[in-house]
Amino acid sequence: MADESATLVSKKCVPCEGGVPACSTDQVRDLLRQVEGWRITDDGKRIHREWKMKSFMKAMDFLNRVAEIAEAEGHHPDLHLVSYRLVMIEIWTHAVGGLTENDFILAAKIDAVDSNP
């Protein structure tokens, strides 16, 4: 799994303006295996993950680093901070209303961030 995740990290999100199909169930299953800790939502259209941080400031630092990655990739997830130190991130490709490889690329890049520096 580590080698596959490294492959996703080395890729760049490509702009998507819609008009392309979302990943099939089999594609999602294969890509999901490459991003440890991420889960698919009940509707099958998004992936999400949670982290419990040591403190509020650690959570904010992590979210800011994720925001920098998202901006650099041009692919923006939903970021949530709950109960001052629980970080929840949800990713999908808005333009297709489902999942594309971009979502898994971003998830792999987020996973590469040290969540408790």
Side-chain angles (χ1 to χ4, degrees), residues 53-103:
M53 301 297 169
K54 291 180 181 181
S55 69
F56 174 78
M57 291 309 294
K58 296 276 187 195
M60 291 306 299
D61 179 59
F62 180 68
L63 285 170
N64 283 321
R65 289 184 289 139
V66 168
E68 289 176 12
I69 292 167
E71 187 66 17
E73 292 297 317
H75 193 47
H76 303 97
D78 283 359
L79 305 175
H80 306 274
L81 179 60
V82 181
S83 296
Y84 84 90
R85 63 182 188 133
L86 178 65
V87 172
M88 299 186 316
I89 298 178
E90 191 170 59
I91 306 172
W92 78 100
T93 302
H94 301 85
V96 303
L99 293 163
T100 65
E101 186 182 42
N102 284 346
D103 303 308

